[in-house]
């Protein structure tokens, strides 16, 4: 069955059953250990969370089955509605800003002639900074007294707002921190898409007198559509499950302005010790991400994954 | 003036006279230069600001709006290094990172080899099963994992971090390596087989060396995941001696009464520095792998 030994030109060698068995088993020996670990932990967590969401836990972690009560409680909680809307708003604003920035940065890196490698390498640096560190650094940029933003504003004679004390401003700072962290990866994915475009297409378009914008909209965008999809999914996924950046930056405040579903889930489970409701929120997060990933798998991965194996 | 340069603004497109050409070149320089400057400033400001603030004196931030430190001092770094437990947190982070890089990388190399080189039943389904966990956000798993690990008595152990970090690193590493292994021509391996190499030797002496950029990329991304991980350690560890650096950075603000901004920033710089050094060493391979679409 192995591809290496499959040569139809040769007459079939006499084989004993043991060798056949060994060959049939080998690929599974390669593949199964990882799957056991992945599904033993992550798979268990998903199933365990589903069960937990149907139970109530007391102080001693004893479980009682309560059916859908946790779901009814959570969905009727105004705090949940707030977290849901905040999350959706956060995701939409992050996508708009994040994809816009990634596209501009990718086009810029594509056109840079001198020091291209250097700038490409530099642009990916935030990808390697932890979410907590990102949050702490953004906190110090936007600290009211002594932060970078207000130092610059006061030097210019402009008003110095309390960035993290104002709900709307804090929300924007959270979006910025999130973008700082996620834009670099999306930029390089888009850059990869741009680099696959044959440059002669641009030359012939410019000879035909097409404007820059027309070239971008009619040629560049359609050709990088797959990469656009990949970075769109990345940005959506990261924004939807942002946790460490928000927890360390604003912890959901002020006035719950940045209390996203992940933060709400953490507080419900680990501060209020309501594991049932926490698991309900986990299921909500999972449901959103599964919906997204089904889209992702359908549009981008399935074709790619087949191609990868058939190379 | 070929290639992308022809994709610029109107003035430059008609290459008629020296004046227009000059303005075209100028416009082009601005069109690239301005967003490039934005990119550099945007990327570096938070880090540079953290470094500058870490070199200031404790109360300087409150007293002056100057961007540069008046008397640069490494006192904050000395304070961080002298912290009770800093060595332990650093050790925890390093240990967890080493284990959660080598274990998933080994498992993923084997799995990717199996997927790339063998035709077997359920291959597509099994590979898909490897991929599915990548789209589950790890933060969503912390509630049931905490409950499971409490039942198993693993809370506050290294094991809980080894297991959860490794499990969550395997899907991405396997996905990257399948692509790299599948692109190694089968003929090379067949030649090695004819020369008498067994499967183990083929993997070790042929496949891994040829797919080395992929192994490096997968390794760096495992290191990144483990070094920066926060949700799992937050949910599965509660003793201060078991914290990793990101966790300690998170609780730092509560630990210090009056915020010593310089110390806070020095701690931040020290937690991101090791990983940035790793990135600096292997930047070329990682960037190439991402741009070529092998990581996604």
């Amino acid at each position: 069955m192995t591809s290496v030994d499959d040569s139809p030109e040769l007459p079939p060698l006499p084989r004993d059953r043991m060798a056949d068995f060994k060959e049939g088993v080998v690929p599974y020996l390669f593949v199964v250990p990882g799957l056991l670990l992945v599904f033993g932990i992550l798979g268990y967590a998903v199933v365990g969370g589903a069960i937990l969401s149907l139970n109530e836990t007391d102080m001693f972690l004893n479980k009682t089955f309560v059916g859908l009560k946790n779901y009814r409680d959570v969905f009727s909680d105004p705090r949940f509605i707030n977290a849901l809307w905040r999350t959706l708003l956060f995701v939409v604003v992050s996508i708009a800003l994040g994809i816009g920035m990634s596209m501009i940065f990718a086009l810029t890196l594509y056109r840079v002639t001198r020091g291209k490698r250097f700038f490409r390498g530099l642009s990916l640096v935030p990808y390697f900074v932890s979410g907590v560190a990102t949050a702490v650094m953004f906190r110090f940029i936007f600290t009211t007294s002594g932060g970078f933003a207000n130092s610059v504003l006061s030097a210019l004679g402009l008003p110095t707002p309390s960035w993290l004390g104002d709900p709307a401003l804090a929300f924007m700072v959270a979006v910025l921190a999130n973008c700082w962290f996620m834009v670099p990866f999306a930029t390089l994915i888009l850059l990869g898409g741009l680099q696959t475009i044959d440059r002669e297409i641009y030359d012939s378009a410019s000879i035909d007198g097409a404007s820059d914008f027309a070239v971008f909209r009619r040629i560049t965008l359609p050709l990088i559509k797959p990469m656009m999809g990949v970075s769109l999914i990345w940005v959506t996924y990261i924004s939807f499950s942002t946790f460490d950046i928000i927890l360390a930056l604003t912890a959901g405040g002020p006035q719950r302005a940045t209390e996203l579903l992940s933060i709400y889930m953490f507080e419900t489970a680990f501060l209020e010790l309501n594991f049932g409701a926490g698991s309900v929120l986990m299921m909500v997060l999972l449901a959103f991400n599964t919906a997204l990933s089904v889209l992702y798998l359908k549009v981008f991965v399935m074709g790619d994954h087949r191609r990868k194996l058939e190379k | 003036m070929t290639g992308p340069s022809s994709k610029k603004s109107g003035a430059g497109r008609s290459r008629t006279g020296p004046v227009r050409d000059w303005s075209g070149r100028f416009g082009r320089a601005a069109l690239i230069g301005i967003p490039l400057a934005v990119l550099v400033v945007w990327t570096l400001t938070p880090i540079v600001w953290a470094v500058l603030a870490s070199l200031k004196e404790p109360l300087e931030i409150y007293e002056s709006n100057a961007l540069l430190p008046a008397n640069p001092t490494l006192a904050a770094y000395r304070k961080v290094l002298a912290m009770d437990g800093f060595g332990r947190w650093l050790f925890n982070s390093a240990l967890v990172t080493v284990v959660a890089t080598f274990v998933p990388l080994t498992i993923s190399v084997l799995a990717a080899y199996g997927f790339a080189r063998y035709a077997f039943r359920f291959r597509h389904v099994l590979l898909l099963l490897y991929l599915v966990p990548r789209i589950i956000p790890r933060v969503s798993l912390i509630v049931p994992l905490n409950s499971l690990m409490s039942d198993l008595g693993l809370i506050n152990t290294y094991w809980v971090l080894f297991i959860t970090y490794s499990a969550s690193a395997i899907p991405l590493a396997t996905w990257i390596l399948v692509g790299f292994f599948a692109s190694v021509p089968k003929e090379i391996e067949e030649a090695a087989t004819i020369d008498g190499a067994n499967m183990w030797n083929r993997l070790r002496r042929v496949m891994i060396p040829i797919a080395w950029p992929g192994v490096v990329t997968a390794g760096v991304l495992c290191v990144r995941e483990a070094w920066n991980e926060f949700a799992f350690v937050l949910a599965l560890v509660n003793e201060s001696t078991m914290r990793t650096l990101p966790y300690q950075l998170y609780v730092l603000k509560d630990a210090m009464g009056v915020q010593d901004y310089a110390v806070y920033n020095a701690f931040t710089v020290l937690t991101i520095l090791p990983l940035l050094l790793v990135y600096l060493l292997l930047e070329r391979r990682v960037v190439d792998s991402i741009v070529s679409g092998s990581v996604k």
Side-chain angles (χ1 to χ4, degrees):
Chain A
M1 279 292 281
T2 67
S3 49
V4 177
D5 293 350
D6 255 357
S7 32
E9 295 86 7
L10 296 171
L13 295 166
R15 293 165 167 237
D16 57 282
R17 282 166 162 250
M18 197 56 204
D20 272 356
F21 175 74
K22 266 189 188 164
E23 247 164 46
V25 166
V26 162
Y28 295 100
L29 291 182
F30 279 128
V31 165
V32 167
L35 212 54
L36 284 182
L37 183 56
V38 170
F39 271 78
I41 300 300
L42 309 182
Y44 170 87
V46 172
V47 176
I51 296 172
L52 217 51
S53 73
L54 300 172
N55 284 279
E56 215 157 53
T57 33
D58 63 17
M59 278 170 63
F60 308 101
L61 296 177
N62 296 317
K63 296 180 192 103
T64 0
F65 183 80
V66 293
L68 293 174
K69 177 177 176 293
N70 289 326
Y71 286 85
R72 280 194 300 270
D73 289 353
V74 168
F75 292 159
S76 61
D77 185 350
R79 217 179 138 190
F80 168 75
I81 309 293
N82 172 64
L84 186 64
W85 282 117
R86 290 284 161 190
T87 306
L88 294 178
L89 187 64
F90 184 82
V91 171
V92 169
V93 178
S94 292
I95 291 176
L97 193 63
I99 288 291
M101 291 176 77
S102 306
M103 198 67 234
I104 291 170
F105 287 165
L107 284 170
T108 308
L109 288 173
Y110 176 72
R111 289 176 171 205
V112 164
T113 40
R114 241 172 296 166
K116 186 167 185 165
R117 290 214 71 99
F118 170 79
F119 288 114
R120 267 174 31 172
L122 180 77
S123 76
L124 193 64
V125 162
Y127 181 64
F128 285 87
V129 175
S130 69
V132 179
T134 303
V136 171
M137 293 191 309
F138 269 77
R139 222 168 58 219
F140 283 114
I141 285 187
F142 290 103
T143 305
T144 310
S145 68
F148 176 76
N150 280 353
S151 295
V152 172
L153 286 176
S154 76
L156 297 173
L158 294 168
T160 54
S162 161
W163 295 95
L164 295 171
D166 177 85
L169 289 178
F171 188 83
M172 274 322 292
V173 172
V175 169
L176 279 183
N178 187 46
C179 282
W180 190 77
F181 172 77
M182 75 185 181
V183 159
F185 187 76
T187 301
L188 288 195
I189 291 286
L190 289 177
L191 178 63
L194 291 175
Q195 287 182 348
T196 60
I197 301 175
D198 192 343
R199 290 189 171 189
E200 283 175 20
I201 297 177
Y202 289 139
D203 286 343
S204 49
S206 78
I207 289 166
D208 292 345
S211 74
D212 264 7
F213 183 69
V215 169
F216 177 73
R217 202 167 61 95
R218 298 274 170 78
I219 298 174
T220 312
L221 266 189
L223 284 175
I224 61 162
K225 199 178 139 203
M227 291 308 173
M228 192 58 145
V230 173
S231 44
L232 205 63
I233 297 294
W234 156 260
V235 164
T236 314
Y237 166 81
I238 288 292
S239 306
F240 207 89
S241 47
T242 316
F243 173 65
D244 30 9
I245 291 180
I246 308 290
L247 192 66
L249 182 71
T250 61
Q255 297 158 37
R256 303 201 195 290
T258 56
E259 189 172 271
L260 309 186
L261 283 172
S262 56
I263 302 290
Y264 179 39
M265 181 195 78
F266 172 74
E267 297 203 335
T268 307
F270 290 91
L271 302 184
E272 295 166 16
L273 297 180
N274 188 343
F275 273 59
S279 303
V280 169
L281 293 163
M282 166 203 169
M283 299 315 284
V284 174
L285 272 178
L286 271 185
F288 270 102
N289 271 286
T290 311
L292 283 173
S293 45
V294 167
L295 188 81
Y296 177 38
L297 289 171
K298 261 203 168 142
V299 181
F300 308 104
V301 176
M302 282 315 276
D304 210 54
H305 145 93
R306 288 258 154 75
R307 230 181 304 128
K308 228 174 191 175
L309 286 179
E310 275 148 26
K311 251 179 207 164
Chain B
M1 294 286 273
T2 54
S5 62
S6 49
K7 206 188 136 201
K8 62 183 183 289
S9 60
R13 221 186 318 118
S14 56
R15 301 158 203 169
T16 46
V19 177
R20 305 196 85 183
D21 208 27
W22 179 86
S23 78
R25 214 174 285 161
F26 184 77
R28 184 172 124 76
L31 212 63
I32 298 172
I34 293 171
L36 195 63
V38 172
L39 170 65
V40 171
V41 170
W42 160 259
T43 305
L44 289 182
T45 300
I47 298 173
V48 170
W49 181 248
V51 172
L52 288 178
S54 72
L55 298 174
K56 291 180 178 174
E57 286 160 349
L59 295 175
E60 194 177 333
I61 290 171
Y62 297 105
E63 289 157 358
S64 118
N65 272 333
L67 299 184
L68 296 174
N71 307 302
T73 162
L74 287 174
Y77 289 91
R78 278 195 288 272
K79 277 188 208 162
V80 171
L81 294 176
M83 265 182 196
D84 234 13
F86 184 82
R88 182 67 191 255
W89 303 320
L90 182 65
F91 170 79
N92 291 348
S93 270
L95 175 71
V96 173
T97 302
V98 168
V99 173
T101 300
F102 282 102
V103 171
L105 209 51
T106 308
I107 292 176
S108 298
V109 162
L110 295 176
Y113 184 71
F115 281 124
R117 277 300 187 258
Y118 289 90
F120 51 96
R121 289 186 69 164
F122 309 121
R123 184 170 69 146
H124 286 273
V125 177
L126 289 176
L127 183 54
L128 203 62
L129 285 182
Y130 260 90
L131 292 182
V132 167
R134 279 197 56 203
I135 43 219
I136 301 173
R138 65 173 65 192
V139 59
S140 73
L141 303 179
I142 59 177
V143 179
L145 276 182
N146 176 282
S147 159
L148 168 71
M149 296 305 171
S150 311
D151 291 347
L152 296 175
L154 288 175
I155 298 286
N156 281 321
T157 61
Y158 286 119
W159 286 107
V160 77
L161 300 182
F162 294 162
I163 297 170
T164 51
Y165 285 24
S166 297
S168 59
I170 287 173
L172 176 63
T174 304
W175 174 243
I176 294 170
L177 288 167
V178 168
F180 276 91
F181 280 165
S183 65
V184 177
K186 282 186 177 150
E187 290 74 20
I188 296 180
E189 240 199 310
E190 279 163 23
T193 315
I194 291 166
D195 289 345
N198 63 20
M199 192 181 59
W200 171 240
N201 275 327
R202 289 201 305 267
L203 179 61
R204 202 163 60 106
R205 298 190 193 271
V206 180
M207 294 298 275
I208 292 180
I210 296 177
W212 190 243
V215 178
V216 170
T217 303
V220 171
L221 294 185
C222 287
V223 170
R224 168 186 175 268
E225 290 268 304
W227 184 264
N228 288 343
E229 209 288 325
F230 177 63
F232 284 169
V233 71
L234 179 69
L236 302 173
V237 155
N238 50 40
E239 270 169 26
S240 65
T241 51
M242 291 301 296
R243 288 175 192 153
T244 57
L245 288 173
Y247 190 170
Q248 183 58 34
L249 179 60
Y250 169 64
V251 293
L252 207 56
K253 70 173 167 186
D254 304 322
M256 295 186 302
V258 175
Q259 287 200 353
D260 186 339
Y261 280 15
V263 168
Y264 211 157
N265 280 292
F267 198 108
T268 309
V269 172
L270 286 176
T271 64
I272 64 176
L273 202 60
L275 189 60
L276 287 185
L277 289 178
V278 171
Y279 172 61
L280 203 67
L281 287 174
L282 303 167
E283 169 263 328
R284 185 162 284 216
R285 293 212 192 283
V286 177
V287 171
D288 281 347
S289 297
I290 296 178
V291 173
S292 69
S294 316
V295 185
K296 56 181 191 224

